[in-house]
Amino acid sequence: MDTKLSTVAKPREGRRTVIESKVSPAFRGEGDTGYICGGCGTLIADKVRRGQIRNIVVQATHLATGLWLLCFSRV
């Protein structure tokens, strides 16, 4: 089951862990949940277990434009 997530503002220094990823998905597991960026539709996490990823922000390269985009937080 895929879950569409909300975009977030860049967190202040030291408030959240920010993962920079140039690949999609940034996370791959053996669960049954996928997380998709609510802004650009990029697959951020594929086949992870629900609740496995928490309190992070993924900063992903937008595949079409090469721009950085903050994709999700507090999954």
Side-chain angles (χ1 to χ4, degrees), residues 4 13 21 23 25 30-31 52 61 67:
K4 188 174 181 180
E13 185 79 24
S21 178
V23 298
E30 297 180 2
Q52 182 176 1
T61 301
L67 298 175

Side-chain angles (χ1 to χ4, degrees), residues 7 37 39-42 58-62 67-72:
T7 57
C37 174
C40 68
T42 298
V58 172
Q59 183 175 339
T61 301
H62 188 278
L67 298 175
W68 288 92
L69 179 67
L70 293 173
C71 287
F72 72 89

Side-chain angles (χ1 to χ4, degrees), residues 6-30:
S6 300
T7 57
V8 298
K10 185 174 182 175
R12 288 183 303 191
E13 185 79 24
R15 300 289 294 192
R16 293 256 184 266
T17 299
V18 177
I19 306 294
E20 295 182 19
S21 178
K22 294 182 181 180
V23 298
S24 175
F27 303 96
R28 190 178 302 270
E30 297 180 2

